[in-house]
Amino acid sequence: MKRHRVGFIGVLILAVILVILGIGWHQQRYAGTISAKKISANLNSSLITTRQKKQAQVTKKYQQKLNSSSYTENHMYVKLNPYQTSPLTALVEFQTKAASQVSLRVVGKSAKTAIKTTYSGYKHKHKLSVLGLYADYNNTVVITIKQKNGQIIHKKLRLKTAKLPAALAAIKINVKTANKQKMVIGQDKLTFIVRTTKQPFGIDADGNIRWYSTDYSQHVFKELQNGHLMYLAKKNNSAKVYNEMLETDFMGRVYKEYHFSSEAKSSNSENLDDDVTVVHHDAIELPNRDLLMTVSDGGSKYIEDTIVQVSHKTGKITKVIDMKKILPAKMWRKFTSEKRNNGKIDWLHMNSLYYDKSDNGLIISSRHQDLVLKLNYKTDKIKWLFSGKKKSSWPISYRNKVLTAKGKITYPGGQHAAILLPDQSNQQLKDLIIFNNNIAITNGPKKTSEKYSEGVQYVINEKTKTIRQTWSYGKSLGKQNFSQIIGSDRYLSATNRLLCFGFLKGGDRSDIIEVNKKTNQQVFNVQLSNLGTKGYTYRAERFSLYPNNHKINRTYE
């Protein structure tokens, strides 16, 4: 009996020792990190209603106009720039006695530059968003009213807009190539210039600005599932910190404002006078409408290595991923090459997120590790790692996650905008595209570093952990199109990709190229210069002004 008791006590003591050792190892491994609770407190996110309250009176006024029988197809209510932030838009409201379907067309200055859409259903009350007007121009807008009996009425409006603000008017937009028959522009798409700071704007195939916001934005400019826009803004244009994420629309109406404390701000500049930001490079929408954002943790040492999930219902942080707790500790503890003006270490520099809804996966791009990786978003476990770092250089526990190249391959170097292509029919095979800046920071290819930048497409077999390159474009453009920082590679169709070489000639120029991947022929090439300090093109997007799920004649909520 005593022998059994001694044995039990021995096992118990051993277990306690192992627990203590485990705690000690855990504390040692994560020394220098801060808790998820503290990170949430540093960001202190919330939903505010400052802009909605300011807009409430005009929104009520527009609702009253819509309900008024005073406005008919022969006497429409028209308001240019209805929310005072989108000057190249107009609100048109009227009623028809017979239920009618309404279409509109902003007449273009040349072929395939008209912006047009049709609102669904037959209704008596009609609220139209007129988008894509030209600046400093007497625009012609044709409104077509179709009754159920087939009767059609055409009405014509003339809308005179103001000049572009000086900073936008000064931008030189040089369209080198525009094959409108082969471009993916549809009936209502513009190429949007997502800027490092200052006003975002959209251009047509001729290079004319057809939409812009008077509110400055930085890095984040996305379309949401409901057809609204999400972009990162400041309290006002003269404020120093970008700490408000807006859900808005092309007309300028604000639906949500996510506010963040400036406690966790960081900067991508060595200049102390430059703007700072809380959401430093990317934000995406999850299927449940919550937002995922790349942020800094608010600690004293490291920046741009944390992801937070923000509830779309409460504005509060519901999940924190600190990448220091996922990647090898050596990566961040011994990284010394990138420091910001506050002395903080930018060892990871996440610049894009992409959610794979087929398997609850999260694709992350890390510029400063020349690394693209995928996490299981439920467990935060790594699914695969893609970089030029030799497998033997990874800790043993990570090596089975490293993708093995099949054939000749371009490894990422300072890359941006890592996303998967849509319609992944084979769940084991994933088509990945990136904008490869091709600058070796830690693990990138040194032999070709800084000689060119390119868009690259790969296919990944997630079961066998292999990767094969299937397409690239940019090498032939050479050094003149080497973009040291920023850029994007966007899917437009099965054949077309939209590349943004955002930082050329030290930031003096940005090139946006639409290329057919089957022929590698350019179908659109626009060069932008004189973009202003920090105003260069962070990314280029091709968005519809009237997304399919937004083609509904909504009444005011």
Side-chain angles (χ1 to χ4, degrees):
M1 190 72 175
K2 288 182 180 179
R3 189 175 296 169
H4 285 299
R5 185 175 297 170
V6 170
F8 173 75
I9 292 172
V11 170
L12 184 61
I13 291 171
L14 178 61
V16 170
I17 291 171
L18 289 174
V19 169
I20 292 171
L21 288 173
I23 293 171
W25 176 86
H26 186 275
Q27 289 175 339
Q28 184 180 7
R29 167 152 167 67
Y30 298 139
T33 65
I34 57 180
S35 69
K37 184 177 181 180
K38 177 60 176 171
I39 292 171
S40 296
N42 288 343
L43 287 158
N44 193 24
S45 63
S46 63
L47 284 173
I48 61 173
T49 56
T50 306
R51 287 174 170 84
Q52 292 98 307
K53 286 179 179 178
K54 286 183 179 179
Q55 293 181 347
Q57 281 301 109
V58 292
T59 297
K60 183 178 179 180
K61 172 186 171 183
Y62 299 147
Q63 184 176 8
Q64 291 171 343
K65 298 292 185 184
L66 179 66
N67 294 331
S68 172
S69 58
S70 302
Y71 297 100
T72 67
E73 63 265 36
N74 296 314
H75 176 56
M76 299 177 183
Y77 176 77
V78 179
K79 179 65 176 178
L80 274 167
N81 193 12
Y83 288 99
Q84 300 303 300
T85 59
S86 299
L88 302 184
T89 70
L91 174 67
V92 174
E93 296 180 328
F94 60 95
Q95 292 189 18
T96 51
K97 289 184 179 179
S100 304
Q101 185 179 53
V102 175
S103 302
L104 68 85
R105 175 168 59 95
V106 177
V107 177
K109 291 183 178 181
S110 68
K112 293 186 76 66
T113 57
I115 300 294
K116 49 190 175 181
T117 191
T118 298
Y119 286 80
S120 64
Y122 288 80
K123 299 178 175 64
H124 294 276
K125 295 180 181 180
H126 308 281
K127 183 192 76 148
L128 312 181
S129 298
V130 180
L131 309 173
L133 299 173
Y134 292 93
D136 192 23
Y137 188 68
N138 193 18
N139 293 266
T140 300
V141 180
V142 178
I143 296 176
T144 301
I145 304 167
K146 179 183 177 182
Q147 297 179 9
K148 288 183 177 179
N149 62 8
Q151 182 179 344
I152 295 175
I153 302 170
H154 297 288
K155 294 294 180 179
K156 189 177 291 186
L157 299 175
R158 301 303 294 268
L159 303 180
K160 181 68 173 70
T161 51
K163 294 180 180 179
L164 291 172
L168 286 183
I171 295 174
K172 296 178 181 178
I173 303 174
N174 181 13
V175 177
K176 309 285 285 185
T177 303
N179 187 332
K180 298 174 187 177
Q181 300 299 322
K182 295 183 178 181
M183 292 173 64
V184 181
I185 50 177
Q187 297 185 339
D188 63 349
K189 292 185 177 181
L190 299 179
T191 302
F192 286 89
I193 312 304
V194 184
R195 306 178 75 187
T196 306
T197 187
K198 299 189 169 63
Q199 304 100 323
F201 61 93
I203 60 174
D204 63 16
D206 292 339
N208 288 307
I209 293 177
R210 305 286 294 274
W211 181 90
Y212 72 92
S213 173
T214 58
D215 285 340
Y216 286 7
S217 73
Q218 184 187 69
H219 291 160
V220 179
F221 188 90
K222 301 282 182 75
E223 280 194 332
L224 299 173
Q225 299 168 42
N226 60 5
H228 291 164
L229 292 172
M230 171 176 67
Y231 68 82
L232 184 63
K234 302 190 282 188
K235 181 174 65 175
N236 54 61
N237 287 349
S238 61
K240 178 102 173 182
V241 58
Y242 282 92
N243 63 340
E244 295 188 354
M245 191 69 74
L246 305 182
E247 180 182 335
T248 180
D249 59 25
F250 285 114
M251 298 280 279
R253 183 181 173 187
V254 176
Y255 301 85
K256 279 186 181 176
E257 303 170 75
Y258 299 86
H259 177 80
F260 301 86
S261 165
S262 59
E263 184 75 19
K265 66 183 182 295
S266 61
S267 174
N268 288 313
S269 171
E270 297 297 330
N271 187 345
L272 289 168
D273 293 326
D274 280 349
D275 289 337
V276 293
T277 184
V278 175
V279 181
H280 57 76
H281 278 95
D282 206 6
I284 60 172
E285 185 183 27
L286 293 171
N288 70 353
R289 296 193 61 198
D290 283 0
L291 305 182
L292 278 189
M293 304 178 182
T294 55
V295 299
S296 297
D297 62 17
S300 61
K301 195 168 184 179
Y302 301 99
I303 59 172
E304 305 192 9
D305 60 4
T306 304
I307 301 167
V308 293
Q309 179 174 340
V310 180
S311 168
H312 74 283
K313 295 179 179 178
T314 66
K316 297 297 182 183
I317 292 171
T318 59
K319 181 173 181 175
V320 175
I321 300 177
D322 183 348
M323 295 300 293
K324 292 188 290 296
K325 297 180 179 180
I326 292 173
L327 288 167
K330 186 178 179 181
M331 278 186 173
W332 47 276
R333 283 187 177 153
K334 296 190 176 182
F335 188 89
T336 58
S337 62
E338 291 285 344
K339 290 186 178 181
R340 294 303 174 206
N341 55 28
N342 52 14
K344 294 184 179 181
I345 299 171
D346 189 10
W347 67 280
L348 191 65
H349 196 95
M350 283 185 292
N351 57 33
S352 74
L353 301 172
Y354 179 87
Y355 181 77
D356 182 359
K357 62 183 179 181
S358 70
D359 63 359
N360 201 27
L362 184 63
I363 309 291
I364 300 168
S365 168
S366 160
R367 180 180 189 269
H368 289 172
Q369 294 294 332
D370 304 317
L371 169 69
V372 180
L373 64 100
K374 185 176 185 180
L375 295 181
N376 179 319
Y377 188 63
K378 183 177 181 180
T379 64
D380 296 344
K381 300 295 185 183
I382 294 172
K383 299 191 76 166
W384 48 255
L385 299 157
F386 175 43
S387 83
K389 184 177 180 178
K390 291 182 180 179
K391 187 178 292 189
S392 59
S393 298
W394 289 88
I396 293 174
S397 61
Y398 290 83
R399 291 177 191 173
N400 65 343
K401 307 297 183 184
V402 177
L403 297 178
T404 299
K406 294 293 185 181
K408 189 177 180 180
I409 199 167
T410 298
Y411 285 103
Q415 76 294 326
H416 285 74
I419 64 172
L420 298 181
L421 298 191
D423 303 323
Q424 303 284 321
S425 56
N426 187 330
Q427 292 306 305
Q428 290 182 8
L429 300 180
K430 304 288 184 179
D431 291 304
L432 171 75
I433 60 173
I434 65 172
F435 181 79
N436 193 31
N437 297 74
N438 194 30
I439 177 170
I441 298 175
T442 52
N443 303 298
K446 291 181 172 58
K447 184 179 281 190
T448 62
S449 181
E450 303 187 38
K451 292 184 178 179
Y452 56 87
S453 298
E454 60 182 349
V456 192
Q457 183 169 325
Y458 310 88
V459 60
I460 298 171
N461 188 317
E462 295 194 318
K463 184 177 181 179
T464 62
K465 296 292 190 297
T466 56
I467 184 167
R468 179 170 52 87
Q469 185 170 319
T470 57
W471 173 79
S472 67
Y473 181 80
K475 184 176 181 179
S476 62
L477 303 179
K479 182 84 172 181
Q480 69 172 0
N481 271 64
F482 165 66
S483 182
Q484 180 181 4
I485 59 173
I486 64 180
S488 56
D489 180 1
R490 292 312 198 204
Y491 173 93
L492 297 181
S493 70
T495 58
N496 287 25
R497 304 290 182 265
L498 185 69
L499 304 180
C500 170
F501 300 82
F503 192 83
L504 306 181
K505 293 187 175 180
D508 290 340
R509 195 181 89 226
S510 296
D511 284 8
I512 299 168
I513 297 173
E514 182 178 349
V515 61
N516 182 303
K517 67 181 290 287
K518 289 187 176 181
T519 64
N520 271 1
Q521 295 296 307
Q522 297 181 13
V523 298
F524 181 59
N525 183 324
V526 59
Q527 296 181 353
L528 299 100
S529 56
N530 205 35
L531 287 156
T533 304
K534 299 291 183 182
Y536 31 74
T537 311
Y538 175 64
R539 286 176 181 161
E541 308 282 3
R542 182 70 56 75
F543 287 150
S544 166
L545 290 171
Y546 299 95
N548 287 335
N549 60 352
H550 196 50
K551 291 180 181 178
I552 303 170
N553 197 9
R554 290 189 176 96
T555 56
Y556 294 94
E557 291 119 351

